[in-house]
Amino acid sequence: MNRILGLLVLLGVAGGAMHVYKRHDAVKQQEQAATAARVLPDRSVIDVYGRPGCVYTRRMLSELEQANVPIRFHNIDYPHTQAAFQDRFAGSGLATSRGYALPIIAVAGQALARPQPSSVVYAYRHR
């Protein structure tokens, strides 16, 4: 009986720690999104808006890293980042009837929907 009680206490502590970690991560993302919404776009960095689970987003991030291009990733699964994303790109013409084709890339003063990584590298290097 003591072993079961000990196991339940351990699981409770682990669950509490996970909750604190997730809450801290969410607050950190909210702060980053608020900062990104207030700051003018930085032309020395490529902003990549997407989802970690998106194949196209992962491919873009990987190829930009291999090309040694500075990137700033914005995970639009977080509500505050998504709100900043909507504010930045609403009315840009990038959305289709099905939504945005991710990733959305902000490079050299222009926004691109699911471009080829090579064209993003070219736009960055020739800005």
Side-chain angles (χ1 to χ4, degrees):
M1 190 65 163
N2 286 337
R3 288 182 185 175
I4 293 174
L5 183 59
L7 182 60
L8 289 175
V9 169
L10 180 63
L11 289 174
V13 169
M18 182 59 85
H19 175 74
V20 168
Y21 172 77
K22 285 184 178 182
R23 180 69 185 139
H24 172 42
D25 188 47
V27 168
K28 181 177 163 187
Q29 287 292 327
Q30 290 171 358
E31 290 170 356
Q32 288 175 346
T35 300
R38 287 191 308 267
V39 177
L40 292 175
D42 180 359
R43 294 176 70 110
S44 66
V45 175
I46 294 177
D47 286 309
V48 178
Y49 293 86
R51 292 188 166 97
C54 171
V55 172
Y56 298 106
T57 299
R58 287 196 319 261
R59 179 176 152 233
M60 179 66 70
L61 293 170
S62 173
E63 293 196 27
L64 292 177
E65 286 174 358
Q66 288 176 4
N68 292 320
V69 174
I71 57 174
R72 183 171 38 216
F73 177 64
H74 304 273
N75 182 351
I76 65 169
D77 284 335
Y78 291 104
H80 286 83
T81 305
Q82 188 173 35
F85 170 79
Q86 291 295 337
D87 289 344
R88 184 169 182 182
F89 297 110
S92 66
L94 294 174
T96 66
S97 61
R98 298 181 66 195
Y100 291 92
L102 297 178
I104 299 295
I105 308 297
V107 58
Q110 59 182 327
L112 308 166
R114 197 180 290 162
Q116 289 297 316
S118 59
S119 64
V120 174
V121 171
Y122 180 85
Y124 175 76
R125 292 191 173 144
H126 294 90
R127 64 188 187 286

